[in-house]
Amino acid sequence: MNIKLHTPKSLKKGSGMGTPKQFLLSILATTVSIALTFGTAAVIDHNKKQREKHEIVMMVMYDMYNTLQSVEKADSMFHRSINLQLQIAEDTSKFDKLKYLMMNQVPLIEYTETAERIFSTNIETINTVGNVLFIENVADFYNSRKLYKEEICDSIFKIISNDKPFNSISGLLDFDYSSNAIFSHFIIKNMKQCFAECKQMMNVTDEEIESYQQKRDDLRKQVSGENTLSDSIQNEMLQIQEKLENAKKKLKL
């Protein structure tokens, strides 16, 4: 069997691809085109992941920032309580007046676990961040936050609720604010260190956190304005309904 080999039309003389040089140029052009296509797609994908990473990091850093403000506020309550405790120790006649001030100094930290859940339970989120040390530091921070709430805030609240230490001078003076203040100090110190290291690792500045906070505040104000509008409409409809009810009563319907 004789097999005849035919030259492809694209390489025949006069086709524009008849020389090796032209053939190589065609291959080069095709290669460059493919490289540009895949390269552009890779750049777009990379930029998308970087934006997602930045949003996740800012969400977590903002949550850590707010938590620190809350625990520092709780910590300041210990020092005010200790000062009041000392005033009563020096002059027991101040007991009835100052005990109510001390009852208002029960430490409380306020936070939501939304950011923690998103960050800690979503493997895609963790993969997007892609920094093991950052992830470990954030986990350490959240563990410290939980420890502060359970072992300090919740514990003190239970003691005050169950033992009623402020019902007597001896009970108030026996209340161990000092130990709690020391415990609070070391937990906050660890949380601040985690926060500082996370900022450094992810190159996040205080200005960026403040800008992120401003965006959140602006969004809340916008939502608040929409709620005000909704309340206005609701009140208007209630007034209309009241007028209709009055009209029905007059008509005895």
Side-chain angles (χ1 to χ4, degrees):
M1 180 182 293
N2 295 325
I3 300 176
K4 294 182 179 181
L5 298 176
H6 299 280
T7 303
K9 292 181 180 180
S10 61
L11 295 179
K12 287 183 178 179
K13 188 175 180 180
S15 66
M17 294 290 288
T19 66
K21 181 178 180 180
Q22 290 170 326
F23 179 64
L24 291 175
L25 286 174
S26 176
I27 292 177
L28 179 61
T30 302
T31 302
V32 170
S33 177
I34 293 173
L36 286 173
T37 299
F38 283 96
T40 302
V43 169
I44 293 174
D45 184 59
H46 174 74
N47 290 338
K48 179 183 177 184
K49 287 183 177 179
Q50 288 300 109
R51 287 194 299 271
E52 291 174 350
K53 176 181 177 180
H54 181 72
E55 285 298 317
I56 293 168
V57 169
M58 291 307 300
M59 175 191 70
V60 173
M61 296 301 298
Y62 177 70
D63 186 45
M64 295 170 76
Y65 172 79
N66 280 340
T67 296
L68 276 175
Q69 288 189 317
S70 185
V71 294
E72 286 178 334
K73 181 179 178 181
D75 183 69
S76 68
M77 291 181 178
F78 285 119
H79 299 283
R80 286 197 291 268
S81 295
I82 291 171
N83 181 53
L84 292 170
Q85 197 175 36
L86 289 173
Q87 290 185 50
I88 294 172
E90 293 171 358
D91 185 357
T92 55
S93 66
K94 296 180 179 180
F95 170 71
D96 289 330
K97 177 182 178 181
L98 298 183
K99 71 176 182 179
Y100 295 107
L101 293 178
M102 293 186 69
M103 292 173 68
N104 290 328
Q105 299 300 317
V106 177
L108 173 69
I109 58 172
E110 298 177 354
Y111 63 88
T112 64
E113 296 181 349
T114 304
E116 181 181 359
R117 289 195 191 100
I118 292 173
F119 184 79
S120 303
T121 61
N122 192 328
I123 190 65
E124 291 184 7
T125 298
I126 294 174
N127 289 336
T128 299
V129 173
N131 187 314
V132 176
L133 289 178
F134 177 79
I135 294 168
E136 289 179 352
N137 267 29
V138 172
D140 189 11
F141 182 94
Y142 284 141
N143 285 334
S144 295
R145 182 172 73 176
K146 182 179 180 182
L147 181 67
Y148 197 97
K149 180 182 181 300
E150 293 180 352
E151 298 300 323
I152 295 181
C153 297
D154 292 350
S155 177
I156 290 176
F157 182 78
K158 287 178 181 178
I159 291 173
I160 292 175
S161 299
N162 298 330
D163 299 340
K164 305 292 189 300
F166 298 150
N167 285 357
S168 65
I169 295 177
S170 60
L172 186 146
L173 296 180
D174 284 340
F175 200 88
D176 192 3
Y177 279 111
S178 298
S179 296
N180 284 293
I182 294 171
F183 193 23
S184 171
H185 170 77
F186 282 108
I187 295 178
I188 291 176
K189 182 179 179 181
N190 180 63
M191 294 173 77
K192 284 183 174 180
Q193 183 176 348
C194 289
F195 181 67
E197 290 177 358
C198 285
K199 284 202 303 180
Q200 184 177 5
M201 280 187 283
M202 308 310 287
N203 296 316
V204 175
T205 64
D206 292 332
E207 289 75 18
E208 285 183 286
I209 295 175
E210 290 173 2
S211 176
Y212 187 85
Q213 183 179 23
Q214 186 61 51
K215 290 179 181 178
R216 296 284 295 266
D217 290 342
D218 291 343
L219 181 60
R220 289 193 186 98
K221 289 178 182 178
Q222 181 180 351
V223 173
S224 177
E226 291 174 354
N227 288 338
T228 301
L229 180 61
S230 298
D231 292 340
S232 176
I233 294 172
Q234 185 177 7
N235 290 333
E236 182 181 354
M237 293 302 105
L238 288 173
Q239 291 175 7
I240 292 173
Q241 186 176 6
E242 185 177 357
K243 290 179 180 179
L244 292 174
E245 290 296 328
N246 290 333
K248 287 166 65 177
K249 288 179 181 179
K250 289 180 180 179
L251 295 172
K252 297 182 180 181
L253 295 178

